[in-house]
Amino acid sequence: MALALSIVLIGVLTYLMRVAFIGPSRLSLPPSVERALRFVPPAALAALIVPDLVGHNGALVLTLANPRLIAGVVALVVAWRTRNVAATLIIGMAVFWLLSALLPG
Amino acid sequence: MTTSRTSDALAHTEPSRALLLGARDTLPLLPGTIPFGLIYGATALTVGMPAWLTQMMSIVVFAGSAQFAVVLLVAGGASAVVLVLTAAILNLRHVLYSASLGPTLRDAPRGWRLALAYLLVDEVYGVVIGRMLRLPMRQRVRYMLGSGLTLWIAWQISTLVGILIGARIPAGWSLDFAATLTFIALLVPLLRDRALIGAALIAGVVAALTLAAPLKLGLVVAAVAGIGAGMLLDRWHARRDTSAPPVVSDPRAADHTAPPAATAEEG
């Protein structure tokens, strides 16, 4: 139930952000805020990606025995070279499954 | 040449046809959207989200990256506070779209503006921003509605099909990792200049260092640190370049129109 309420709240907040400047208001965005917003997508995405690649039960695992880290780095290179979401996903998952099968635990 | 001919045709078209043209212009984006919907639906189920909630999020939130983030965080056992904060931060970019479209919709009827706001997602913004101004208002709102509805329908159906697929995928496949890979594919094209790369790097490093923070709050701290780092880099870069002629740094100009100016900034 907490999850359902969180999702509703996220939906309401998202709608408020979308309607902020095309709804009833006649506001416009200060240039400094506009400059800050430019950095939101890369910062937020990186903050989501990195813990999933380097973390395991709350501890840093920066070793070659971490399949998520290796597959993530490979996916980064594939995304860089191809700019192709499908290729990034397929190759990333393939490397991840292969390493998971090879490495014990 | 093709674009100018199309926009002339748009300006003189029937309002009802503007709806279809908006839909038609959105079709090329669907091969990029549908796989996201499929993966979202499938991963949400494999991390244990109920099917109805998975579909409800596609309707209530209707923003791919925030929905993926919720799935990833549910898999990691994050608290409701972190779920809401992270999704809200990821969705902040919509404020920028809203501010950008605001003037073009200023004279539209109130009901239209409130409805179109719900459909203002990345892809729709990308489709309509270039063409909206060239259209009379009656066609303008219908053009955006056509684009938004097309994307909405594709998103709902692909979510549903993803849910049906996800119900048959064993949890041992760790399909939740697909959410992280999707984020990587979304992040890389955003890294267009040093300040943007710096924002991502600092956010990533801080996120790694704050892994053990309770309730995954480190994630929020990391995002804020990254945004701050990007702004500092921007300011530092601007100060270093004061001897050169002033460069207009409007993010919207870099996105759509002027490729020659954008290449001059690199290197």
Side-chain angles (χ1 to χ4, degrees):
Chain A
M1 215 55 226
L3 181 57
L5 285 175
S6 304
I7 288 171
V8 170
L9 188 55
I10 293 167
V12 170
L13 288 173
T14 304
Y15 181 74
L16 289 177
M17 291 185 222
R18 285 172 174 157
V19 85
F21 295 95
I22 57 182
S25 74
R26 289 283 186 263
L27 301 165
S28 68
L29 211 55
S32 59
V33 175
E34 205 165 299
R35 279 197 298 274
L37 284 175
R38 188 167 88 93
F39 297 107
V40 170
L45 289 175
L48 274 166
I49 294 164
V50 172
D52 199 47
L53 299 185
V54 302
H56 187 70
N57 296 333
L60 268 180
V61 188
L62 292 171
T63 68
L64 290 176
N66 178 354
R68 281 174 191 257
L69 178 58
I70 308 300
V73 172
V74 171
L76 198 70
V77 174
V78 173
W80 193 277
R81 301 305 293 261
T82 67
R83 299 287 156 114
N84 185 320
V85 177
T88 307
L89 257 175
I90 291 167
I91 296 172
M93 282 313 286
V95 172
F96 173 67
W97 282 329
L98 188 71
L99 290 174
S100 302
L102 293 178
L103 297 164
Chain B
M1 286 303 112
T2 325
T3 49
S4 70
R5 201 179 59 216
T6 313
S7 64
D8 285 349
L10 273 171
H12 296 108
T13 193
E14 295 289 310
S16 61
R17 227 177 112 58
L19 189 90
L20 288 176
L21 289 170
R24 191 200 64 184
D25 287 350
T26 309
L27 289 180
L29 294 166
L30 296 189
T33 304
I34 290 169
F36 282 127
L38 293 173
I39 296 159
Y40 159 71
T43 51
L45 248 70
T46 58
V47 305
M49 276 180 59
W52 69 272
L53 211 49
T54 303
Q55 188 74 50
M56 187 192 91
M57 181 149 65
S58 275
I59 296 169
V60 172
V61 179
F62 188 38
S65 53
Q67 293 179 225
F68 271 109
V70 169
V71 171
L72 194 63
L73 292 171
V74 165
S79 67
V81 177
V82 171
L83 279 185
V84 174
L85 272 178
T86 305
I89 289 174
L90 271 171
N91 278 342
L92 267 180
R93 66 187 185 285
H94 295 100
V95 177
L96 199 60
Y97 302 156
S98 184
S100 162
L101 278 184
T104 62
L105 290 171
R106 186 148 290 173
D107 301 322
R110 184 196 175 89
W112 274 100
R113 285 184 278 129
L114 294 179
L116 291 178
Y118 168 66
L119 297 171
L120 183 53
V121 298
D122 304 80
E123 292 89 342
V124 172
Y125 175 77
V127 168
V128 303
I129 186 62
R131 296 229 171 121
M132 293 267 281
L133 266 182
R134 300 192 201 129
L135 295 172
M137 189 55 76
R138 274 168 59 82
Q139 281 86 336
R140 190 179 291 181
V141 290
R142 284 167 179 81
Y143 182 75
M144 184 169 170
L145 182 68
S147 174
L149 277 183
T150 304
L151 206 83
W152 190 88
I153 291 166
W155 188 243
Q156 302 310 329
I157 292 177
S158 56
T159 298
L160 184 63
V161 175
I163 288 170
L164 299 174
I165 297 169
R168 296 158 184 273
I169 294 176
W173 286 17
S174 303
L175 206 66
D176 57 297
F177 191 54
T180 301
L181 292 172
T182 304
F183 283 139
I184 291 175
L186 290 175
L187 170 66
V188 169
L190 296 176
L191 305 174
R192 287 184 310 254
D193 62 44
R194 280 182 213 165
L196 289 164
I197 293 171
L201 271 179
I202 295 297
V205 170
V206 173
L209 294 177
T210 53
L211 257 182
L215 308 173
K216 293 208 171 207
L217 271 172
L219 209 152
V220 178
V221 175
V224 172
I227 294 162
M231 292 187 78
L232 279 177
L233 280 168
D234 236 8
R235 197 170 302 170
W236 179 67
H237 202 256
R239 194 176 305 159
R240 214 183 42 170
D241 288 353
T242 40
S243 56
V247 180
V248 180
S249 64
D250 184 346
R252 282 168 297 188
D255 275 340
H256 299 288
T257 38
T263 51
E265 281 180 21
E266 288 167 7

